Amino acid sequence: MHLMRERKKGTTPGPHSEVLAHCKPLIDHLFTESNALRWGLSLEEFSAALTRSAKKISTGNRSSPAPEEFLSSLHVQDLALASACAEGRVAAWEYFVATYQPYLRAAAGAILRCPPASPNAHELADSLLADLYGLADRPRAVRSLFYYFHGRSSLKTWLRAVLAQRHVDAIRAGARLTPWPDEPGDAVAMLNRSSGARPPATPDPHRHRYLSLFTRTIEVALALLDPLDAERLRLYYVEQHTLAEIGRRLSEHESSVSRNLERIRGQLRHHVEELLRRGPSRVNGLPGEAGLSAAEISLCFEYAAEDVPIDFTKLFPGSR
């Protein structure tokens, strides 16, 4: 691995997104909260990272959060660490490797269903470390995978999603399944895939499918719940009653309400995993599509955790 090179501070900040123009006081507060100075990250570089995240907001969608709400929901300490690593701060990179390499190997072992200390787990985890570090002779836009972390989820959640996607890619390449969509005659991209290499800047072309499938599956899974359990979810997540209020309404002790909600969440996840494993044909009634692998199911949950928080107000029509 190449030696980490310090890059000059303040050389890359672009103009702030218009949507953040009136958020300077909040940005200053988040900069302090993020401990970005610990890694030598400037306010301009941190603001540039926030701008990249804010560009993910769909301004034409009424359900998009306000800029202030969106920024306040970000994992700013993780975002500052990732940005500092992408900018080549030695202290940040050393801290990341010391702190996250064991987690990456443990996550790789869970995905591969092998011990974290096994060579396969190390190979999967350490290959990601190489792309997170990046190469100094590449254009800045593709230098490090850290540039594609936007802080909407925790850094651990994002890293696990990337690992799971890499595993899925390897399975597809080895089994000669449906290829990635390329331009006709793109032999270079085909060779990159067959050799296990994948350009870091390439987004997951299946992400939208996974998110859509997850959302539809949640609706089916809710319908499989006992009506009383569905009512417990509605009272808690939609009506936002406290455990005590739900207990009085259902003649249950507050501790019983808590245990029941935990049981229902586990049952709901089990239903979702089973439906995804059995295949989309069992979800939407259309035949001909195989079920998802364990790694793909993991991606569904990881992407949903980042982009599709469950909106029970839509899943329980008629609720307030």
Side-chain angles (χ1 to χ4, degrees):
M1 184 175 289
H2 301 283
L3 293 175
M4 178 64 73
R5 300 176 182 175
E6 288 281 4
R7 291 185 279 274
K8 293 182 180 180
K9 300 179 183 179
T11 59
T12 57
H16 296 334
S17 173
E18 293 181 3
V19 73
L20 300 184
H22 63 288
C23 297
K24 188 177 185 309
L26 176 59
I27 292 175
D28 292 342
H29 170 73
L30 294 177
F31 177 71
T32 302
E33 182 182 327
S34 70
N35 292 324
L37 288 176
R38 176 185 179 185
W39 313 121
L41 197 68
S42 69
L43 175 59
E44 291 178 328
E45 290 167 331
F46 180 73
S47 299
L50 293 180
T51 298
R52 289 195 299 270
S53 298
K55 287 180 180 179
K56 297 298 180 179
I57 302 177
S58 177
T59 55
N61 189 342
R62 291 183 178 180
S63 63
S64 296
E68 295 85 352
E69 179 184 354
F70 175 79
L71 292 179
S72 298
S73 70
L74 296 177
H75 296 253
V76 289
Q77 292 189 1
D78 286 352
L79 182 61
L81 174 61
S83 299
C85 288
E87 294 293 337
R89 304 296 187 265
V90 174
W93 177 254
E94 290 178 347
Y95 173 84
F96 174 81
V97 172
T99 304
Y100 285 89
Q101 187 178 51
Y103 170 77
L104 285 172
R105 290 177 174 178
I111 291 170
L112 298 173
R113 298 183 179 180
C114 65
S118 68
N120 288 338
H122 281 202
E123 181 180 1
L124 177 59
D126 293 349
S127 68
L128 177 56
L129 279 176
D131 281 343
L132 288 169
Y133 173 79
L135 298 175
D137 57 352
R138 291 186 182 181
R140 176 178 177 79
V142 294
R143 183 176 292 125
S144 169
L145 276 181
F146 276 123
Y147 280 107
Y148 304 98
F149 173 70
H150 300 297
R152 290 177 293 168
S153 65
S154 70
L155 188 53
K156 284 187 175 181
T157 296
W158 181 78
L159 290 169
R160 187 180 179 91
V162 176
L163 279 177
Q165 180 61 56
R166 283 172 173 250
H167 178 51
V168 170
D169 293 347
I171 293 175
R172 289 200 181 102
R176 300 182 182 274
L177 298 180
T178 305
W180 295 86
D182 297 327
E183 293 296 328
D186 193 351
V188 175
M190 184 181 300
L191 291 174
N192 283 339
R193 282 199 309 277
S194 64
S195 64
R198 181 182 173 200
T202 304
D204 181 4
H206 302 277
R207 185 186 187 99
H208 177 74
R209 171 176 171 260
Y210 289 151
L211 288 172
S212 177
L213 183 58
F214 182 87
T215 302
R216 297 199 310 270
T217 306
I218 279 285
E219 296 175 358
V220 176
L222 281 171
L224 297 176
L225 293 177
D226 180 86
L228 182 57
D229 286 344
E231 176 66 5
R232 290 187 175 102
L233 290 180
R234 188 189 68 80
L235 290 173
Y236 188 74
Y237 288 103
V238 182
E239 302 295 341
Q240 297 186 359
H241 289 301
T242 65
L243 297 178
E245 289 171 341
I246 297 174
R248 287 193 296 269
R249 188 158 180 171
L250 300 180
S251 300
E252 295 178 350
H253 191 274
E254 182 176 344
S255 61
S256 296
V257 176
S258 177
R259 287 194 297 271
N260 280 325
L261 286 172
E262 183 66 23
R263 171 184 57 80
I264 296 166
R265 285 190 288 264
Q267 186 177 356
L268 190 62
R269 183 182 180 98
H270 173 75
H271 285 328
V272 170
E273 290 177 343
E274 281 300 307
L275 288 167
L276 292 174
R277 188 174 297 111
R278 287 157 50 188
S281 60
R282 303 296 183 91
V283 175
N284 56 28
L286 298 176
E289 194 168 357
L292 303 185
S293 67
E296 289 175 313
I297 292 174
S298 176
L299 278 179
C300 284
F301 279 94
E302 300 291 359
Y303 288 160
E306 293 182 7
D307 293 351
V308 190
I310 299 174
D311 187 351
F312 281 100
T313 60
K314 296 180 180 179
L315 298 177
F316 291 96
S319 298
R320 292 180 303 180

